[in-house]
Amino acid sequence: MKVILEDIENTGIEIKAESCFAFDGGKFESVIFTGRLLPVGDKKSEFYLDGKITAKVVMPCDRCLEAVSLELGGDVNVRIVRTSAEELPEELELEDDDVSAYTVEGDELETDEITEQEALLLLPMKVTCAKPCGSELIKDENDEIVKEGDPRWDALNKLKNN
Ligand SMILES: [Zn+2]
């Protein structure tokens, strides 16, 4: 959702946006953000984006590479600092607690760019199928064969020994 920062009232504006995008290692089928964009102070140079993300992501299973669908959710609470090209570099230097701040140049903010970055932060390191699969499945089958096979081999061994 595109927002003109200069037009934002002191009470902020409601943001409801949905997007989808692919990333290195999977695809977000939907990223839904609902929340508010609020200005900090009167200068319209700093804003807070507050809200919630719900997302559907498809990633390959870590074991068998089958596509696994996941639903993710999380809170978003980020600072947005508006910068302009004319500002001197030292004025753009951020304080320690500004590490998580996003910067936007000029008057227009695309909230999807922020919500997509935040959605990526919700991703698990890896996903696996709910059921055993891939090498897990092979291991399980071998376990069963060993268990089931034991009595039969016992009988055979007895015959051999006799
Ligand atoms: Zn799998």
Side-chain angles (χ1 to χ4, degrees):
M1 179 173 163
K2 275 209 168 74
V3 177
I4 304 298
L5 295 172
E6 207 58 55
D7 293 347
I8 296 173
E9 307 270 323
N10 285 344
T11 51
I13 55 161
E14 200 176 327
I15 307 282
K16 272 188 185 171
E18 182 171 352
S19 64
C20 58
F21 68 104
F23 59 96
D24 187 22
K27 184 172 174 260
F28 273 97
E29 289 190 326
S30 69
V31 177
I32 299 164
F33 175 84
T34 53
R36 273 189 104 71
L37 185 65
L38 293 147
V40 179
D42 299 327
K43 288 186 288 179
K44 305 231 169 109
S45 59
E46 209 180 310
F47 299 85
Y48 263 112
L49 185 64
D50 260 310
K52 275 186 194 307
I53 282 178
T54 51
K56 274 195 193 121
V57 66
V58 177
M59 282 170 80
C61 168
D62 194 54
R63 294 187 298 241
C64 70
L65 301 179
E66 281 281 326
V68 181
S69 281
L70 283 179
E71 292 200 13
L72 304 172
D75 292 330
V76 173
N77 189 279
V78 295
R79 223 176 123 218
I80 298 153
V81 180
R82 194 171 152 199
T83 65
S84 70
E86 302 96 68
E87 275 181 85
L88 294 168
E90 48 262 43
E91 282 178 82
L92 299 179
E93 252 173 50
L94 300 172
E95 292 158 27
D96 281 353
D97 61 355
D98 288 343
V99 173
S100 63
Y102 287 87
T103 54
V104 57
E105 218 174 276
D107 196 29
E108 206 176 71
L109 172 70
E110 175 51 81
T111 60
D112 290 356
E113 285 173 17
I114 292 172
T115 54
E116 287 175 7
Q117 285 301 312
E118 292 294 307
L120 286 170
L121 296 176
L122 300 173
L123 284 176
M125 289 293 285
K126 59 181 185 181
V127 297
T128 51
C129 297
K131 290 174 184 171
C133 65
S135 59
E136 277 285 303
L137 196 62
I138 294 161
K139 205 181 86 195
D140 280 6
E141 275 172 1
N142 284 344
D143 282 351
E144 274 165 39
I145 289 162
V146 170
K147 274 176 220 150
E148 284 170 11
D150 271 349
R152 275 178 290 173
W153 289 119
D154 278 357
L156 208 69
N157 284 338
K158 264 180 203 164
L159 285 174
K160 268 187 189 167
N161 293 337
N162 286 339

